Amino acid sequence: MNANATLLRLQLLARRAGPAACVAAALLIAGVGATAWALVSRQAQQVAAAAIPAAPTQLVEAPPPPNANENLAAFYATLGEKRYAEQQVKILFGIAAKTNLSLDQGEYKFGYDKASRVSTYQITLPVRGPYANIWQFSLQALAAMPFAALDEVNFRRETITDPVVEARLRFTLYLKEQP
């Protein structure tokens, strides 16, 4: 028997049975399908639950949060040293070389906040290279100097198809006077 003959027989059977029987048959088929789906999903949940290790029965108490003095001490311990500011610029140029970027002459400016007794060293660098390399440079610089912040990023491209991007990055180094 071919597919056309089978389809014709199903149509004749449906016409003889009437619309109520067809609806009942469709509901029966949908119910069987839903039951089968529920059983399969329940079995998958049981397998997944068996694969998850049991939670530890004893809770580990978290240490108390640091107090204000401890936070302040951690802040000052993270700051860089002002006497090494020029070496930090060398680090930036080294990272730029590793990421295949060209750095032009930058702008450098020292500042001091009397209230916090923290020196700042703003470094503005014009950078040229592929977009991905510029972000890689920025992230590596921040990782190498945990006391630095990337304050500003400006991108410029001559044309949409140009792979070389000109960027202007402004880093601020937060420095302490003494170790």
Side-chain angles (χ1 to χ4, degrees):
M1 234 192 273
N2 64 16
N4 287 338
T6 305
L7 189 59
L8 182 61
R9 285 186 181 192
L10 285 174
Q11 283 179 342
L12 290 173
L13 181 65
R15 285 185 184 165
R16 282 187 201 142
C22 290
V23 169
L27 289 175
L28 179 66
I29 292 171
V32 169
T35 303
W37 177 78
L39 289 175
V40 169
S41 66
R42 180 184 293 170
Q43 186 180 16
Q45 287 175 349
Q46 289 173 348
V47 169
I52 297 173
T57 55
Q58 187 179 26
L59 294 176
V60 178
E61 192 172 318
N67 62 33
N69 290 333
E70 291 170 338
N71 277 337
L72 189 60
F75 170 75
Y76 282 111
T78 305
L79 297 177
E81 293 184 32
K82 186 177 179 180
R83 63 183 171 165
Y84 298 124
E86 287 78 19
Q87 291 177 354
Q88 303 304 327
V89 174
K90 287 182 184 178
I91 289 173
L92 287 174
F93 275 85
I95 294 171
K98 287 179 188 175
T99 54
N100 298 321
L101 293 176
S102 63
L103 294 179
D104 294 331
Q105 186 173 353
E107 299 171 14
Y108 309 95
K109 179 179 155 187
F110 270 108
Y112 184 75
D113 182 35
K114 290 180 184 177
S116 65
R117 299 185 319 265
V118 173
S119 295
T120 59
Y121 191 42
Q122 282 191 346
I123 305 167
T124 305
L125 297 171
V127 182
R128 288 182 50 85
Y131 179 82
N133 292 29
I134 293 172
W135 277 116
Q136 187 178 37
F137 165 74
S138 301
L139 294 174
Q140 287 181 14
L142 293 172
M145 298 178 292
F147 47 87
L150 180 58
D151 296 325
E152 186 178 336
V153 179
N154 292 314
F155 290 105
R156 185 172 167 271
R157 188 186 318 226
E158 291 296 323
T159 63
I160 286 181
T161 58
D162 192 3
V164 176
V165 177
E166 293 178 18
R168 188 170 178 82
L169 307 174
R170 188 177 77 210
F171 291 95
T172 300
L173 307 182
Y174 294 92
L175 310 167
K176 58 188 168 187
E177 293 290 328
Q178 307 168 26

